[in-house]
Amino acid sequence: MRRLFTALLLSAAAPLSAHPLDALTAPEIDGAAAILRAAPQWTKAARIASITLLDPTKASVLNGTAEPRRAVARLLVGSTAVEALIDLAARRVTTWTPAPGQQPSFMLAEILGSVDIVKADKGWRAAMGKRGYTDFSGVLCNPLAVGFVADPALRTERLMNVPCFDATGAKNNTFARPIEGLMATVDLTAKKVIRLIDLGMVPVPAEMPQHDYASQTKYRKPMKPVVQANPAGSNIAITGSEVRWDNWRFHVRLDRRVGPTLSLLRYDDRGTERSVAYEIAPSEMFVPYMDKTPTWSFKSYLDAGEYGLGLLASPLSPGRDCPATAIFRDAVVAGDNGKPMTIPRALCIFERNMGDPVWRHTDPFTANEESRPQVDLVVRSIAVIGNYDYILDFVLTQAGEVEVRVGATGIDAVKGVATQSMADATAAADTAPGTLVAPGLVAVNHEHYIGFRLDLDIDGTTNRVAIDHVAPQTITGNPGRTSLWSIDEMIQTQEGPVEGHGHDALIRILSDRPRGKLAQMPSYELMAGHAATSLLDPADPVQARAGFTKYSTWATAYQPDELYAAGAWANQSPAGQGLPAYVADKQSIDGKDLVLWQVVGFRHITRTEDWPIMPTLWHSFRLRPHNFFDRNPAMDVAPDFASKP
Ligand SMILES: [Cu+2]
């Protein structure tokens, strides 16, 4: 009894958050909202768009010195954006900074409210009447970020573009029957439609696809179970938000804006814990569509800054989205007006055995066989942004590698067209921007860029960036051999794009201190993987808001407020924010605390197999130790799970 009482006292005295990098808790979000409302700057016209953890200073985290918990809020006061910093312990607003002309991310009430505004608009109702709609109960509208605002008179207004769909009878695909050619622009402040584009009637596709299992007409034979299993229990140990697995240790949280965030990533190198990264997280996403029609050409989403990858994290389904044996973690994010929202099972953490060897060899002379089974750790979340689902994975391997994977699935954005078949005379014109995926439906071509911010700290915070060019050489004096290649190492000393990806160069981030008996400079290679860069004209206003997509890799000097590849205020942003601005002063990065940025980029040339729902397509990049360990770090992996040392 006494022990129970002591435990209760201890838990009552425990701080609200156990780790300085923990996401804000529900009481902290409530507290931040209350502090804002009590602030002298608060007015009745103020609305809170977002509240998130304001990162503690890096030095305080690394030194273990406690700092008061702080939050950053973005507000709208009337129509003016404000950034407020809040000291949660002192219960006060420390800075209140208006950002005229900028827009915080959308509030859920704005997204839902704009649908009602459109449906009440006389002009829209008349245009719908011409299309035969008098009852709008089956009509669903999809409010969208407007991106760049071409009309200078509207540039400071807070806007959404709202196309609608006939979703009568829709169970799970509300995007399949577009009411094409009609789109309203809503002024969210004035709460009215300020523009209606009506390009004329396009027949609504007849088919309503359903992708639930019961709706299918043909079934393949269900498989006998193929599952991940942990018959002797999990190897994952979690304390608070700190995860230990195999030789890895890290902190994980779901950030409202950028989503899954790994911090303090360390690897136990035979008894010495060594730093690999301070923080790894998505930063921004850019998805431009390739259709010049006025109801499509604006589509160029910056999903993290306009909506929020953490805010839109989807609850994960055990046994389907993640193995049933995964550890599932709820997340708390601030909803509208600083109201905490719990997202159940927003993160999953699991081990997986893909059936691959982490290494193997059979000696050709002695026939000695040695092989080691590979087990990986995966941290997963899935952001559902309207029609699209993005699976965001961090994969840690026993060989010290980190793979960052993005799986694209969900429903292609589709456009209603007259063409029913590619044999139709209208087919060539209608399918110029994409692919006919169903009668009367074109999936429009587009591309996806997911910019990750990689605050790597290889054995500490003073690092360098090396580009190892693979340089062809001509050799003379040997008639049997006239060419080879060798490595030409170049150190990048200034902020900017890091160029040299492809098969002719290796990009590495290295410590500035030699280590071990070989006195090698420990480093990690950034293996680009899928790194398409944007083909749009740099002067195109759509592209100019997302300048980070012109290069696949960037390096910047660490700055605590440089977090977002397309800038802190991404919604309706002007040109040039984010990485292009961060590197403009060309600070030195040599032997400094530096940040790498890697953009996973892929063009989505749509295909019939993407419809009615797209099989998951994975893209990735990899961080791979390079002279970081003095030998294969997976030498000590046991040959069998039962093996005793
Ligand atoms: Cu796509």
Side-chain angles (χ1 to χ4, degrees):
M1 191 65 185
R2 195 176 150 194
R3 273 177 64 185
L4 177 67
F5 193 59
T6 310
L8 281 172
L9 270 179
L10 281 174
S11 71
L16 286 173
S17 287
H19 193 286
L21 294 173
D22 283 354
L24 295 181
T25 61
E28 285 178 325
I29 293 168
D30 276 334
I35 294 164
L36 284 168
R37 290 198 186 94
Q41 300 94 331
W42 181 265
T43 74
K44 273 193 179 148
R47 285 176 299 156
I48 303 167
S50 68
I51 302 176
T52 44
L53 174 73
L54 177 64
D55 284 354
T57 60
K58 190 167 169 177
S60 77
V61 175
L62 294 176
N63 300 337
T65 49
E67 269 185 0
R69 294 271 286 172
R70 294 188 298 163
V72 52
R74 293 181 197 282
L75 303 92
L76 267 177
V77 180
S79 55
T80 303
V82 171
E83 182 188 80
L85 305 186
I86 303 150
D87 183 327
L88 294 167
R91 297 194 63 76
R92 66 187 183 89
V93 171
T94 54
T95 66
W96 179 277
T97 313
Q102 303 282 19
Q103 296 291 345
S105 58
F106 292 114
M107 291 171 243
L108 298 170
E110 289 177 318
I111 297 171
L112 298 174
S114 60
V115 177
D116 297 332
I117 294 166
V118 169
K119 286 192 175 182
D121 182 73
K122 269 191 195 149
W124 181 86
R125 292 172 83 97
M128 288 293 284
K130 274 194 255 167
R131 288 163 167 83
Y133 289 92
T134 48
D135 172 7
F136 308 125
S137 58
V139 174
L140 274 180
C141 301
N142 187 27
L144 302 170
V146 298
F148 174 73
V149 182
D151 183 347
L154 293 178
R155 211 160 279 164
T156 55
E157 305 302 332
R158 187 165 170 83
L159 306 171
M160 290 200 99
N161 279 338
V162 188
C164 300
F165 300 80
D166 186 336
T168 311
K171 262 199 263 184
N172 42 47
N173 187 341
T174 50
F175 304 100
R177 303 185 67 218
I179 299 166
E180 199 59 54
L182 182 66
M183 187 177 78
T185 300
V186 172
D187 180 332
L188 296 170
T189 314
K191 294 192 165 50
K192 62 177 189 188
V193 171
I194 56 161
R195 185 182 63 160
L196 191 68
I197 298 178
D198 188 348
L199 304 173
M201 205 169 128
V202 178
V204 173
E207 285 178 16
M208 170 55 81
Q210 312 278 13
H211 55 249
D212 57 297
Y213 198 60
S215 297
Q216 306 312 305
T217 52
K218 195 169 180 331
Y219 297 94
R220 71 176 66 185
K221 188 178 155 199
M223 300 188 93
K224 294 194 260 299
V226 180
V227 294
Q228 293 285 333
N230 284 102
S234 174
N235 298 296
I236 305 167
I238 302 187
T239 312
S241 294
E242 194 173 63
V243 181
R244 285 176 188 267
W245 175 81
D246 195 56
N247 291 337
W248 289 101
R249 179 153 77 107
F250 60 92
H251 180 277
V252 62
R253 72 178 190 268
L254 189 83
D255 179 78
R256 185 190 191 280
R257 176 163 173 161
V258 303
T261 302
L262 253 54
S263 304
L264 297 169
L265 184 64
R266 289 153 288 180
Y267 191 97
D268 186 327
D269 180 10
R270 288 179 286 173
T272 305
E273 201 167 59
R274 297 173 64 192
S275 164
V276 174
Y278 181 73
E279 195 157 279
I280 296 179
S283 161
E284 189 52 90
M285 215 181 261
F286 178 52
V287 188
Y289 282 76
M290 301 298 142
D291 190 315
K292 64 185 179 187
T293 316
T295 49
W296 276 82
S297 61
F298 69 94
K299 293 183 181 181
S300 54
Y301 309 117
L302 295 170
D303 290 312
E306 290 168 345
Y307 301 97
L309 305 183
L311 178 72
L312 299 181
S314 177
L316 301 170
S317 167
R320 298 181 185 118
D321 292 331
C322 318
T325 51
I327 296 167
F328 291 84
R329 308 268 299 176
D330 297 351
V332 176
V333 294
D336 289 1
N337 293 312
K339 195 172 162 37
M341 299 189 335
T342 298
I343 303 171
R345 305 181 311 283
L347 285 164
C348 72
I349 304 169
F350 60 94
E351 302 173 274
R352 80 173 162 205
N353 180 341
M354 304 276 273
D356 297 337
V358 64
W359 59 260
R360 75 159 328 274
H361 185 60
T362 303
D363 189 277
F365 300 107
T366 66
N368 169 270
E369 275 181 32
E370 290 291 340
S371 186
R372 300 291 181 270
Q374 176 168 344
V375 180
D376 298 336
L377 183 80
V378 183
V379 178
R380 172 170 295 166
S381 66
I382 302 180
V384 179
I385 300 146
N387 53 307
Y388 242 105
D389 298 47
Y390 293 96
I391 307 174
L392 300 166
D393 277 11
F394 297 105
V395 183
L396 306 182
T397 80
Q398 294 178 294
E401 296 182 18
V402 181
E403 190 183 10
V404 179
R405 305 173 84 218
V406 179
T409 177
I411 296 170
D412 269 350
V414 283
K415 180 186 183 185
V417 294
T419 298
Q420 301 294 301
S421 145
M422 289 307 286
D424 293 355
T426 50
D430 277 351
T431 63
T435 302
L436 190 74
V437 294
L441 215 49
V442 163
V444 174
N445 291 332
H446 56 278
E447 47 195 354
H448 303 261
Y449 297 99
I450 304 95
F452 286 84
R453 180 177 176 275
L454 310 173
D455 181 358
L456 302 179
D457 284 350
I458 305 300
D459 272 343
T461 55
T462 49
N463 286 174
R464 313 179 84 191
V465 172
I467 304 170
D468 298 338
H469 289 285
V470 181
Q473 308 282 342
T474 301
I475 50 174
T476 54
N478 181 349
R481 182 73 186 262
T482 59
S483 65
L484 47 71
W485 56 257
S486 61
I487 295 295
D488 196 356
E489 184 186 285
M490 193 198 94
I491 297 291
Q492 175 153 340
T493 57
Q494 284 185 342
E495 290 184 314
V498 183
E499 292 182 83
H501 271 143
H503 37 76
D504 63 344
L506 200 93
I507 289 174
R508 291 186 298 126
I509 174 164
L510 58 155
S511 163
D512 64 347
R513 277 164 298 171
R515 194 177 188 284
K517 63 180 181 215
L518 301 175
Q520 291 279 14
M521 293 297 200
S523 80
Y524 261 72
E525 180 192 359
L526 176 55
M527 302 179 80
H530 303 90
T533 53
S534 177
L535 298 175
L536 300 181
D537 176 4
D540 183 334
V542 161
Q543 173 61 35
R545 299 175 61 232
F548 74 95
T549 59
K550 275 291 167 195
Y551 299 92
S552 55
T553 311
W554 299 70
T556 60
Y558 172 83
Q559 294 289 346
D561 58 350
E562 292 184 353
L563 297 171
Y564 306 112
W569 300 94
N571 196 1
Q572 293 179 218
S573 58
Q577 291 195 159
L579 275 169
Y582 297 166
V583 303
D585 57 353
K586 296 194 169 118
Q587 283 182 59
S588 166
I589 54 167
D590 196 22
K592 300 280 167 57
D593 189 359
L594 58 94
V595 176
L596 285 183
W597 305 70
Q598 181 63 24
V599 183
V600 175
F602 52 101
R603 288 185 234 297
H604 188 166
I605 299 157
T606 53
R607 43 173 211 152
T608 51
E609 291 84 354
D610 293 342
W611 193 254
I613 193 157
M614 182 184 163
T616 307
L617 178 62
W618 290 97
H619 295 85
S620 67
F621 68 89
R622 192 176 277 266
L623 295 161
R624 188 176 185 235
H626 190 110
N627 301 343
F628 184 84
F629 301 106
D630 58 15
R631 60 178 192 162
N632 177 354
M635 286 306 296
D636 56 355
V637 170
D640 300 293
F641 291 105
S643 302
K644 294 251 168 21

